[in-house]
Amino acid sequence: MTDYYSLGDPVADTKAPDGPIETRWERRRFGAKLVNPANKRKLSVIVVGTGLAGGSAAATLGELGYQVKSYCYQDSPRRAHSIAAQGGINAAKNYRNDGDSVHRLFYDTVKGGDFRSRESNVHRLAQISVQIIDQCVAQGVPFAREYGGLLDTRSFGGAQVSRTFYARGQTGQQLLLGAYQALERQIAAGTVTMHDRHEMLELIIVDGRARGIVVRDLVTGEITTEFADAVVLASGGYGNVFFLSTNAKGCNVTASWRAHRKGALFANPCYTQIHPTCIPVSGDHQSKLTLMSESLRNDGRVWVPKAKGDTRIPADIPEDERDYYLERIYPAFGNLVPRDIASRAAKNVCDEGRGVGPGGLGVYLDFAAAIGRLGRDAVEAKYGNLFDMYQRITGEDPYTTPMRIYPAVHYTMGGLWVDYDLQSSIPGLFVIGEANFSDHGANRLGASALMQGLADGYFVLPNTIGDYLAAGPFPKLDGENAEVAAARKQVEDRIEKLLSIDGDRTVDSFHRELGRIMWEYCGMERTDAGLRKAISEIRELKAEFWQRVKVPGDGEGLNQSLERAGRVADFFELAELMCIDALHREESCGGHFRAESQTEDGEAQRDDERYSYVAAWEFTGDAPVLHKEDLTFEYVHPSQRSYK
């Protein structure tokens, strides 16, 4: 297997404090260097991405007094994909008095991530969660409330308490509008300069520090170099490497991958999340999939027929011929088991021939019992927009017929490696939100993505970036600098190469084929032979891409084929690394399930002796180099995860 990679020196998080975990974040904040208000005005920061992490970070840094330049490829900051998040945001407020606490959220998150995350980072996230809700309520985010006016909560997977705050089925939209209004306030105040319709295509490193980015104006085609004292990447995850995912079509890995190629370590790329409740694939015409919020598992019951090949409509299948398999296998958590477990369980019953709908790739999510118990009006108040969306897409009424759902790629736990300060292995390059790897281990619990994005942007980064910027401002740069000119030329040469191939296959045809390989061999279940085959096929397809891809038009204006071509070229390189990472990790943990490593009853079998580490990969242009960061557990001791 080491034909595919080589082993490098271990990597360590030198910024994480030791001592009592309850005070680590407080002690790190106190120990970090400060920048006084007058000096902040002399310092500049570039933020790439305007989702919950990037939008909140740019707004907060601007309010602190830094000169901030914000970039997004969308036509407005509020079109960032965070807007699509549905179900809710976790916080250890314990308003229900049901036994929740900061420690329980910390414990649930470490356990939910299958003991492959850092304790220090996760505990900080749990601590900050309570501040996020206060921040958002103060902004006017319209969280759901109980009859008496108090904030309402509901349950999500992997927890036995109700700690998820929500705004119907559009929580991400409401939270993003809160961050967006904070960002717009700073734009109006002059502390943030907004550059929409700009895509980052290269990272500029001068004297070993991240000092700027090369961007392309997607409307005019103009390529420019932008400078700052520090660069923050908040560019999201890489789920679209699978082509079909719940991500917006524009979501890509290019910003992170350009940084990786320049020396930023990429951690745990094989940890991808397959969400159990998505509308099933309906045909080859599809270009994306649609999520149905995990919150639906609060009141919906998941089932399939007990008999194989039962094609009766659900109303004709009596109760005693239905298998509510999650409630049967996992009685303690029932339908609210974590996502990786629910997804594999759905795959297993479909593999047994008991799936429903076209091709037998679906299971039922049934609300009949909830409607009978609560009434249709109450169910509509909670989930109405989700039910409407399902009906528009499928033509079926979920109030009278069970939804059909099936797992789909949704989120990526892997990302650029960062230390406790959220700084990558490149000095001056900070990575926040889904773009980093830091908090979720091998499986993210539902409603924790919004929590991490806002924790990083509002509370963590603004406290830690000052420790780095205290040494600034750094020397002024211009386009004549050799390293700046080289970065710009790399972008220009790559665009010229993509345009000059003039082959006979579209970008999307390559992307769709790459996605098929990834889903087949590096999806819900992985094997040694399958991953080796995937690596071989990816390499062949990548070589064919650079010979046969056709990118019409030119680079002098709007050219969406050119945009997609650059992103898919990066997906090819990422896909190979994902498969190498999955191949080297000969254990099952969370979202990474190796068929060779499972318990007698088909659950994930970790190998803590050999694999209790973060796999941080270094780009070399040839075989990647693996750097291991050992994980230590003082407060939540690894055990066989059980939700039964």
Side-chain angles (χ1 to χ4, degrees), residues 85 101 141 279 325 405 423:
S101 64
V141 172
I279 298 177
Y325 59 89
I405 56 168
Q423 187 170 208

Side-chain angles (χ1 to χ4, degrees), residues 46-58 69-74 77 79-83 176 194 198-203 213-215 231-241 247-260 264-266 410-412 414-418 422 424 429-437 449 452-453 456-457 461 567 570-571 574:
I46 284 172
V47 181
V48 180
T50 57
L52 286 182
S56 60
K69 292 192 275 188
S70 177
Y71 295 84
C72 69
Y73 64 78
Q74 296 92 344
R79 289 201 185 271
H81 187 58
S82 298
I83 207 164
L176 185 62
M194 188 66 229
H198 282 72
E199 183 170 25
M200 171 187 162
L201 295 179
E202 194 56 84
L203 178 69
I213 58 176
V214 182
V215 295
V231 177
V232 178
L233 296 188
S235 48
Y238 49 87
N240 272 351
V241 68
N247 289 184
K249 285 300 293 176
C251 294
N252 64 83
V253 76
T254 291
S256 293
W257 197 254
R258 297 288 103 195
H260 176 55
L265 299 179
F266 205 112
H410 176 58
Y411 185 89
T412 52
L416 292 180
W417 183 91
V418 291
L422 305 182
S424 74
L429 177 68
F430 293 79
V431 191
I432 59 176
E434 191 179 353
N436 74 29
F437 88 103
Q452 186 213 343
D456 287 357
L461 181 76
R567 295 166 188 170
D570 288 334
F571 277 141
L574 167 69

Side-chain angles (χ1 to χ4, degrees), residues 207-220:
D207 297 330
R209 298 178 186 270
R211 290 298 314 277
I213 58 176
V214 182
V215 295
R216 179 173 180 269
D217 185 320
L218 299 182
V219 178
T220 67

Side-chain angles (χ1 to χ4, degrees), residues 295-560:
S295 62
L296 294 170
R297 289 197 274 146
N298 268 276
D299 292 306
R301 301 179 71 195
V302 180
W303 66 274
V304 291
K306 286 183 177 178
K308 293 181 182 179
D310 191 335
T311 56
R312 290 177 291 176
I313 63 171
D316 289 346
I317 301 176
E319 195 72 16
D320 62 355
E321 294 180 33
R322 301 178 178 188
D323 180 13
Y324 294 91
Y325 59 89
L326 290 178
E327 297 173 25
R328 172 175 56 81
I329 303 171
Y330 307 103
F333 282 73
N335 294 297
L336 286 174
V337 292
R339 292 174 176 178
D340 58 321
I341 289 173
S343 293
R344 283 198 298 274
K347 179 182 185 298
N348 290 341
V349 295
C350 291
D351 288 349
E352 291 169 7
R354 297 194 288 142
V356 300
L361 292 178
V363 300
Y364 288 127
L365 183 61
D366 195 336
F367 289 87
I371 291 171
R373 185 178 75 254
L374 304 170
R376 175 172 169 147
D377 289 348
V379 171
E380 189 171 352
K382 281 184 173 181
Y383 310 117
N385 66 309
L386 299 171
F387 279 43
D388 291 347
M389 183 163 53
Y390 181 87
Q391 185 163 13
R392 284 197 299 271
I393 292 170
T394 65
E396 300 170 6
D397 179 8
Y399 291 105
T400 57
T401 304
M403 288 183 177
R404 287 179 297 106
I405 56 168
Y406 193 69
V409 174
H410 176 58
Y411 185 89
T412 52
M413 285 74 66
L416 292 180
W417 183 91
V418 291
D419 61 19
Y420 191 70
D421 284 0
L422 305 182
Q423 187 170 208
S424 74
S425 51
I426 299 174
L429 177 68
F430 293 79
V431 191
I432 59 176
E434 191 179 353
N436 74 29
F437 88 103
S438 67
D439 292 349
H440 305 297
N443 175 64
R444 177 175 67 76
L445 292 183
S448 288
L450 308 187
M451 175 173 64
Q452 186 213 343
L454 293 180
D456 287 357
Y458 281 135
F459 297 103
V460 182
L461 181 76
N463 279 289
T464 61
I465 197 170
D467 188 66
Y468 173 79
L469 289 173
F474 302 108
K476 289 269 187 255
L477 296 175
D478 58 36
E480 302 302 312
N481 179 285
E483 290 172 288
V484 173
R488 180 182 177 124
K489 188 171 190 311
Q490 285 170 344
V491 171
E492 292 169 341
D493 290 350
R494 194 160 184 259
I495 289 173
E496 188 179 330
K497 184 175 182 181
L498 286 167
L499 290 168
S500 67
I501 297 169
D502 197 26
D504 58 358
R505 280 191 66 176
T506 64
V507 174
D508 277 3
S509 74
F510 280 105
H511 193 182
R512 190 183 291 274
E513 190 172 344
L514 174 65
R516 180 196 59 76
I517 294 169
M518 292 299 290
W519 179 250
E520 185 75 23
Y521 301 115
C522 198
M524 271 196 284
E525 183 173 299
R526 296 124 186 225
T527 64
D528 185 282
L531 289 164
R532 291 175 188 275
K533 184 176 181 182
I535 293 167
S536 173
E537 291 187 6
I538 290 165
R539 288 173 175 174
E540 290 173 9
L541 191 62
K542 175 184 165 188
E544 186 181 344
F545 173 87
W546 286 105
Q547 293 171 351
R548 292 185 57 189
V549 72
K550 184 172 185 66
V551 182
D554 56 40
E556 302 305 310
L558 179 66
N559 187 339
Q560 292 184 313

Side-chain angles (χ1 to χ4, degrees), residues 548-600:
R548 292 185 57 189
V549 72
K550 184 172 185 66
V551 182
D554 56 40
E556 302 305 310
L558 179 66
N559 187 339
Q560 292 184 313
S561 291
L562 177 60
E563 295 169 33
R564 288 198 295 270
R567 295 166 188 170
V568 171
D570 288 334
F571 277 141
F572 274 115
E573 295 182 2
L574 167 69
E576 184 176 332
L577 182 63
M578 288 173 68
C579 291
I580 291 171
D581 187 35
L583 181 63
H584 110 276
R585 192 172 282 277
E586 296 175 343
E587 66 161 353
S588 294
C589 57
H592 167 65
F593 189 78
R594 284 288 294 265
E596 305 92 339
S597 182
Q598 53 185 306
T599 62
E600 287 181 8

